Short mmCIF file of all heavy atoms in Angstrom, two decimals:
data_model
loop_
_atom_site.label_atom_id
_atom_site.label_comp_id
_atom_site.label_asym_id
_atom_site.label_seq_id
_atom_site.Cartn_x
_atom_site.Cartn_y
_atom_site.Cartn_z
N PRO A 1 0.80 -1.20 -0.06
CA PRO A 1 0.05 -0.03 0.01
C PRO A 1 0.83 1.22 0.03
O PRO A 1 1.97 1.31 0.65
CB PRO A 1 -0.73 -0.14 1.31
CG PRO A 1 0.10 -0.90 2.23
CD PRO A 1 0.72 -1.88 1.23
N SER A 2 0.41 2.26 -0.68
CA SER A 2 1.14 3.49 -0.70
C SER A 2 0.07 4.62 -0.78
O SER A 2 -0.76 4.78 -1.68
CB SER A 2 1.96 3.66 -2.00
OG SER A 2 2.54 4.93 -1.94
N HIS A 3 -0.02 5.44 0.37
CA HIS A 3 -0.87 6.54 0.47
C HIS A 3 -2.33 6.01 0.28
O HIS A 3 -3.19 6.67 -0.22
CB HIS A 3 -0.49 7.64 -0.54
CG HIS A 3 -0.74 8.99 0.06
ND1 HIS A 3 0.03 9.42 1.08
CD2 HIS A 3 -1.46 10.12 -0.38
CE1 HIS A 3 -0.28 10.75 1.31
NE2 HIS A 3 -1.18 11.09 0.51
N ALA A 4 -2.60 4.85 0.84
CA ALA A 4 -3.98 4.24 0.76
C ALA A 4 -4.88 4.72 1.77
O ALA A 4 -4.47 5.13 2.92
CB ALA A 4 -3.81 2.70 0.89
N PRO A 5 -6.20 4.81 1.44
CA PRO A 5 -7.17 5.10 2.56
C PRO A 5 -7.24 4.01 3.57
O PRO A 5 -6.84 2.86 3.12
CB PRO A 5 -8.46 5.19 1.77
CG PRO A 5 -8.33 4.35 0.59
CD PRO A 5 -6.83 4.50 0.16
N ALA A 6 -7.68 4.28 4.78
CA ALA A 6 -7.74 3.30 5.78
C ALA A 6 -8.95 3.40 6.67
O ALA A 6 -9.74 4.47 6.52
CB ALA A 6 -6.49 3.56 6.74
N ILE A 7 -9.28 2.26 7.24
CA ILE A 7 -10.52 2.22 8.07
C ILE A 7 -10.27 1.44 9.31
O ILE A 7 -9.57 0.35 9.16
CB ILE A 7 -11.75 1.69 7.25
CG1 ILE A 7 -13.01 1.78 8.14
CG2 ILE A 7 -11.58 0.24 6.80
CD1 ILE A 7 -14.35 1.61 7.31
N VAL A 8 -10.65 1.93 10.45
CA VAL A 8 -10.43 1.14 11.73
C VAL A 8 -11.89 0.81 12.35
O VAL A 8 -12.61 1.70 12.49
CB VAL A 8 -9.49 1.93 12.66
CG1 VAL A 8 -10.01 3.23 13.00
CG2 VAL A 8 -9.28 1.07 13.89
N PHE A 9 -12.10 -0.40 12.67
CA PHE A 9 -13.28 -0.88 13.13
C PHE A 9 -13.24 -1.18 14.76
O PHE A 9 -12.20 -1.74 15.22
CB PHE A 9 -13.74 -2.22 12.55
CG PHE A 9 -14.12 -2.10 11.23
CD1 PHE A 9 -13.38 -2.17 10.06
CD2 PHE A 9 -15.59 -1.87 10.81
CE1 PHE A 9 -13.75 -2.09 8.80
CE2 PHE A 9 -15.95 -1.75 9.54
CZ PHE A 9 -15.00 -1.85 8.55
N PHE A 10 -14.23 -0.71 15.39
CA PHE A 10 -14.34 -1.00 16.93
C PHE A 10 -15.56 -1.90 17.12
O PHE A 10 -16.59 -1.61 16.78
CB PHE A 10 -14.39 0.36 17.58
CG PHE A 10 -13.33 1.24 17.53
CD1 PHE A 10 -13.36 2.36 16.62
CD2 PHE A 10 -12.15 1.07 18.13
CE1 PHE A 10 -12.21 3.20 16.43
CE2 PHE A 10 -10.98 1.90 18.00
CZ PHE A 10 -11.01 2.91 17.11
N PHE A 11 -15.25 -3.02 17.78
CA PHE A 11 -16.34 -4.08 18.00
C PHE A 11 -17.41 -3.55 18.96
O PHE A 11 -17.17 -2.71 19.84
CB PHE A 11 -15.66 -5.27 18.43
CG PHE A 11 -14.95 -5.20 19.69
CD1 PHE A 11 -15.48 -5.26 20.99
CD2 PHE A 11 -13.50 -5.11 19.71
CE1 PHE A 11 -14.80 -5.14 22.21
CE2 PHE A 11 -12.83 -5.09 20.85
CZ PHE A 11 -13.40 -5.09 22.09
N GLY A 12 -18.55 -4.16 18.83
CA GLY A 12 -19.61 -4.00 19.78
C GLY A 12 -19.49 -5.02 21.04
O GLY A 12 -18.81 -5.90 21.04
N GLY A 13 -20.41 -4.64 22.09
CA GLY A 13 -20.42 -5.48 23.24
C GLY A 13 -20.82 -4.70 24.46
O GLY A 13 -20.46 -5.16 25.61
N GLY A 14 -21.42 -3.48 24.23
CA GLY A 14 -21.82 -2.74 25.45
C GLY A 14 -20.74 -2.20 26.27
O GLY A 14 -20.91 -1.94 27.47
N TRP A 15 -19.59 -1.97 25.72
CA TRP A 15 -18.41 -1.53 26.35
C TRP A 15 -17.91 -2.62 27.52
O TRP A 15 -17.12 -2.25 28.28
CB TRP A 15 -18.55 -0.13 27.11
CG TRP A 15 -19.02 0.93 26.19
CD1 TRP A 15 -18.40 1.51 25.17
CD2 TRP A 15 -20.27 1.65 26.39
NE1 TRP A 15 -19.19 2.53 24.67
CE2 TRP A 15 -20.36 2.57 25.39
CE3 TRP A 15 -21.30 1.50 27.35
CZ2 TRP A 15 -21.51 3.47 25.21
CZ3 TRP A 15 -22.43 2.25 27.22
CH2 TRP A 15 -22.43 3.23 26.23
N SER A 16 -18.57 -3.74 27.35
CA SER A 16 -18.27 -4.83 28.32
C SER A 16 -17.64 -5.97 27.87
O SER A 16 -17.00 -6.76 28.63
CB SER A 16 -19.63 -5.16 29.05
OG SER A 16 -19.44 -6.08 30.08
N SER A 17 -17.84 -6.39 26.64
CA SER A 17 -17.32 -7.58 26.08
C SER A 17 -17.15 -7.36 24.53
O SER A 17 -17.14 -6.23 24.10
CB SER A 17 -18.21 -8.76 26.35
OG SER A 17 -19.51 -8.53 25.68
N GLY A 18 -16.85 -8.51 23.86
CA GLY A 18 -16.69 -8.37 22.41
C GLY A 18 -15.27 -8.75 21.97
O GLY A 18 -14.36 -8.95 22.76
N THR A 19 -15.16 -8.76 20.64
CA THR A 19 -13.85 -9.26 20.09
C THR A 19 -13.53 -8.55 18.76
O THR A 19 -14.56 -8.28 17.98
CB THR A 19 -13.69 -10.73 19.86
OG1 THR A 19 -12.54 -11.11 19.08
CG2 THR A 19 -14.96 -11.23 19.12
N PRO A 20 -12.36 -8.19 18.41
CA PRO A 20 -12.03 -7.59 17.13
C PRO A 20 -12.33 -8.48 16.01
O PRO A 20 -12.43 -7.97 14.82
CB PRO A 20 -10.51 -7.34 17.20
CG PRO A 20 -10.18 -7.26 18.64
CD PRO A 20 -11.19 -8.25 19.33
N GLN A 21 -12.68 -9.76 16.13
CA GLN A 21 -13.04 -10.59 15.01
C GLN A 21 -14.37 -10.26 14.45
O GLN A 21 -14.70 -10.76 13.41
CB GLN A 21 -12.93 -12.11 15.50
CG GLN A 21 -11.55 -12.70 15.55
CD GLN A 21 -11.46 -14.13 15.71
OE1 GLN A 21 -11.68 -14.63 16.77
NE2 GLN A 21 -11.21 -14.78 14.55
N GLN A 22 -15.19 -9.41 15.14
CA GLN A 22 -16.46 -9.12 14.72
C GLN A 22 -16.42 -8.62 13.25
O GLN A 22 -17.29 -8.84 12.43
CB GLN A 22 -17.19 -8.13 15.60
CG GLN A 22 -18.65 -7.71 15.14
CD GLN A 22 -19.16 -6.66 16.03
OE1 GLN A 22 -18.67 -6.20 16.95
NE2 GLN A 22 -20.50 -6.50 15.83
N PHE A 23 -15.47 -7.77 13.00
CA PHE A 23 -15.40 -7.04 11.75
C PHE A 23 -14.32 -7.65 10.78
O PHE A 23 -13.87 -6.99 9.74
CB PHE A 23 -15.16 -5.53 11.94
CG PHE A 23 -16.37 -4.85 12.44
CD1 PHE A 23 -16.58 -4.54 13.87
CD2 PHE A 23 -17.40 -4.60 11.60
CE1 PHE A 23 -17.76 -3.94 14.24
CE2 PHE A 23 -18.57 -3.99 12.08
CZ PHE A 23 -18.77 -3.59 13.36
N GLU A 24 -13.94 -8.86 11.03
CA GLU A 24 -13.00 -9.53 10.12
C GLU A 24 -13.45 -9.54 8.64
O GLU A 24 -12.72 -9.21 7.72
CB GLU A 24 -12.59 -10.95 10.52
CG GLU A 24 -11.62 -11.55 9.60
CD GLU A 24 -11.24 -12.98 10.14
OE1 GLU A 24 -11.83 -13.43 11.24
OE2 GLU A 24 -10.47 -13.69 9.44
N PRO A 25 -14.79 -9.97 8.33
CA PRO A 25 -15.20 -9.96 6.97
C PRO A 25 -15.14 -8.65 6.25
O PRO A 25 -14.68 -8.52 5.08
CB PRO A 25 -16.70 -10.44 7.08
CG PRO A 25 -16.76 -11.24 8.47
CD PRO A 25 -15.88 -10.42 9.30
N GLN A 26 -15.51 -7.55 6.99
CA GLN A 26 -15.45 -6.23 6.42
C GLN A 26 -14.02 -5.87 6.07
O GLN A 26 -13.64 -5.32 4.98
CB GLN A 26 -16.16 -5.24 7.29
CG GLN A 26 -17.62 -5.30 7.44
CD GLN A 26 -18.15 -6.38 8.49
OE1 GLN A 26 -17.30 -7.16 8.98
NE2 GLN A 26 -19.34 -6.34 8.81
N CYS A 27 -13.07 -6.18 6.99
CA CYS A 27 -11.73 -5.89 6.78
C CYS A 27 -11.19 -6.57 5.58
O CYS A 27 -10.44 -5.98 4.72
CB CYS A 27 -10.89 -6.24 7.95
SG CYS A 27 -11.07 -5.02 9.35
#
């Protein structure tokens, strides 16, 4: 990548639980 756009995903879980794997398909 060179000067590419980026996106960062934050998982859900009520600020109590969850995992970064939630948004693996989108990534």
Side-chain angles (χ1 to χ4, degrees):
S2 177
H3 221 59
I7 186 167
V8 55
F9 288 91
F10 299 101
F11 58 83
W15 309 293
S16 181
S17 60
T19 171
Q21 283 194 279
Q22 179 179 13
F23 286 102
E24 180 181 0
Q26 290 85 348
C27 283

